[in-house]
Amino acid sequence: MSNNQTNNTREFQAEVKQLLDIVINSLYTDKKIFLRELISNAADALEKLRYTKIQNTDTYQPELPSEITIQTDDNAHTLTIADTGIGMTEEELVENLGTIAHSGSKAFLKHLTEGNQADVNLIGQFGVGFYSAFMVASKVTVYTRSYKPDADGCIWSSDGLGTYTIQKADLISRGTRIQLKLKEDCHEFAKPDNIKSIIKQYSSFVPFPIKLNGDKVNTIEALWTKNKNEISDENYNEFYKFIANAYDEPLFKIHFSVDAPININALLFFPKDHFERFGFGRMEPGVNLYCKKVLIQEKSEGILPEWLRFIKGVVDSEELPLNISRETMQDSALISKLRKVLTGRIVKFLAEQAQSNPDKYLEFWDKFQIFIKEGIATDMGRRKDLAPLLRFESSKSEPGKLVSLQEYLEGMKEGQDTIYYLNGPSRDFIENGPYLEIFKRKDIEVLYTYETADDYILNQLGDYEDKKLVSADQENIQLPETDDTDKTPDDALAESEVQELTKWMKEVLGDDVSEVRASKRLVDSPAILLSPDGMTNSMQRIMKLMNKDLNHFGARIMDINTSHPIIKKLDTLRKKADPFAEIAVKQLYDSTLISAGLSSDYKGMVNRMHEILDRALEYNQ
Ligand code: ADP
Ligand code: MG
């Protein structure tokens, strides 16, 4: 090979160095996954070439067969993976094999540096799979030539220790050949039997022939077009692992075909988990679009609504034109028809699972509820269909047990026409706060929502089966009347006293509250802060985080328990015009703020607490 026009040494980007350092020095996990990553890159490159050919026919060396060839050399301890795909230009080499561009990859790197190295298995999902070659190789050499007619051949080479070189070279045919000089403890990867079994394990469904030392090893199958009873669970699982780049099995699968209203053959999988949970940024869509087994679009954007981006799989429709472009794809009537049918199927499937397979459904709910809620928030047309999928803890469920809105309906009291929910950071917080008291006394179930977004979702939903959904911290709730629970206790303050007391308290608190009233809902607590109509504590918490002026949205109402000893003693002090009464009222207000999860002026409160302590201690001398 005549080459060596320039000998060009370059530094890896800092993040790549960091990643390589982990890959080379401190990974003890399954090294064999490097092969899956390199084969998947080779398949991508062939796929990209096929796609380019549809648009444009003057590709370089069109006669080369589309295939992946792997050579082992057990004497030289080398392994070579070659494809006849799209290849890379010099600039592309620098960009693709010297930097990390995607933000998710940076999050992945952070995750690894925090010691989560077992998860290196996921390397391919974060757009840095190529670098896994350095787990097994002391030197990686990439011979590549882009399909572009005037592109030069290039040789990229590195030992992974901070730098790489790129040389121009003649006589390289289109595509990419990656040669690994295996590390001493990795010589097993030059043995054909080992390589064959790794290919079978991870790459059976690569849609191009893979030849190992000349023999074809994979069976290229469009699994989704086969008859269901010819497909074993193992086939499905392997296929899932291949398309989802996963190492575990899917939680659910849906395999169906229909001819009306549109021809569809779909094989869809639900993963067991996802990475948005860990702050890895937004997932890409996971469904590939085919027409009669020919890939039209990978990771198709429009084929499912965004909130279903966690679904992996394949959709094949004979009605799709082969050369559809990304832009026309997005808004084509055909795609929206497909999306409608597919989404309907998925939602129906989940509803069925929730019924017939509740434990497994809850496993799904545990990890993926955020997507269902996103669907309710963003997909108006699906809102009503998604409501039955919601699950919450409730005042009548055991801790950790979840109920559906339907189950709530079935347990409703005579005369109850509203579904109540209450937001708080935990079950404990909700059950020890004042908001639940009246519901407990009247034996009315309340759903517990632990995510701040839940209130927003339920508010968007508005009602379920004609029953309104209402936050239990609203000031105007109307609970069914019951004699024994509604009458004012005999030891309560008299009506006239209450009037004077509440008027005076409002004066002390000023604009912090719009009104102080005698409560109809308190049992054990002295006071409670209620949200004006349409607003809930959790929404106020969000607005506080956003530094919004809460008074814009109507000030809160304070209800007091007129038979509570604290309130009665407070009234006695007020009548004596004792200045301590004002301190007590302000503290009472702060306590209700804490119960509402809205407190923030801790300094003022601590100083006041000291005054109160001082007085209490003096009293006890
Ligand atoms: P990902 O495949 O997720 O993009 P990788 O680290 O595996 O991440 O590869 C980085 C990039 O390098 C690819 O996106 C591709 O542009 C380029 N690349 C890697 N292998 C090949 C190959 N065999 N042929 C052409 N380009 C390749
Ligand atoms: Mg890759």
Side-chain angles (χ1 to χ4, degrees), residues 37 40-41 44 124 127 129-130:
E37 297 305 329
S40 123
N41 285 350
D44 286 350
F130 170 78

Side-chain angles (χ1 to χ4, degrees), residues 596-609:
L598 289 167
S599 166
S600 61
D601 178 19
Y602 294 105
K603 189 161 166 287
M605 185 168 77
V606 168
N607 289 338
R608 188 180 326 107
M609 281 304 287

Side-chain angles (χ1 to χ4, degrees), residues 37-38 40-46 48 81 83 85-88 92 96-97 123-131 144 175-178 299:
E37 297 305 329
L38 297 184
S40 123
N41 285 350
D44 286 350
L46 286 163
K48 284 180 198 157
I81 295 118
D83 64 70
I86 200 161
M88 284 176 273
E92 286 166 341
N96 297 335
L97 308 185
I123 196 161
Q125 295 182 14
F126 292 98
V128 288
F130 170 78
Y131 300 110
T144 187
T176 302
R177 183 156 55 93
I178 300 184
K299 300 180 177 164

Side-chain angles (χ1 to χ4, degrees), residues 254 256 258 261 264 268 270 303-305 307-308 311 335-353 379 381-382 385-386 389:
I254 310 178
F256 74 95
V258 291
I264 299 182
L268 304 172
F270 291 65
I303 195 72
L304 288 178
W307 61 271
L308 283 173
I311 299 273
I335 295 290
S336 74
K337 226 183 205 179
L338 280 171
R339 180 171 57 234
K340 202 163 160 212
V341 175
L342 291 165
T343 311
R345 274 284 181 147
I346 293 170
V347 173
K348 190 166 147 244
F349 173 84
L350 282 172
E352 283 163 7
Q353 292 300 314
D379 202 341
R382 288 285 166 196
D385 300 340
L386 291 176
L389 298 178

Side-chain angles (χ1 to χ4, degrees), residues 316-384:
D316 196 320
S317 175
E318 291 177 4
E319 290 168 49
L320 284 166
L322 267 178
N323 56 354
I324 188 166
S325 76
R326 258 186 196 268
E327 296 73 50
T328 45
M329 188 83 123
Q330 285 292 336
D331 42 36
S332 97
L334 198 65
I335 295 290
S336 74
K337 226 183 205 179
L338 280 171
R339 180 171 57 234
K340 202 163 160 212
V341 175
L342 291 165
T343 311
R345 274 284 181 147
I346 293 170
V347 173
K348 190 166 147 244
F349 173 84
L350 282 172
E352 283 163 7
Q353 292 300 314
Q355 287 297 318
S356 62
N357 209 349
D359 291 344
K360 216 165 160 193
Y361 176 74
L362 288 174
E363 216 179 300
F364 164 78
W365 176 252
D366 184 39
K367 303 278 166 52
F368 292 88
Q369 53 181 285
I370 187 76
F371 295 97
I372 302 297
K373 291 172 186 173
E374 184 182 322
I376 292 179
T378 58
D379 202 341
M380 287 272 285
R382 288 285 166 196
R383 209 164 263 173
K384 292 275 175 255

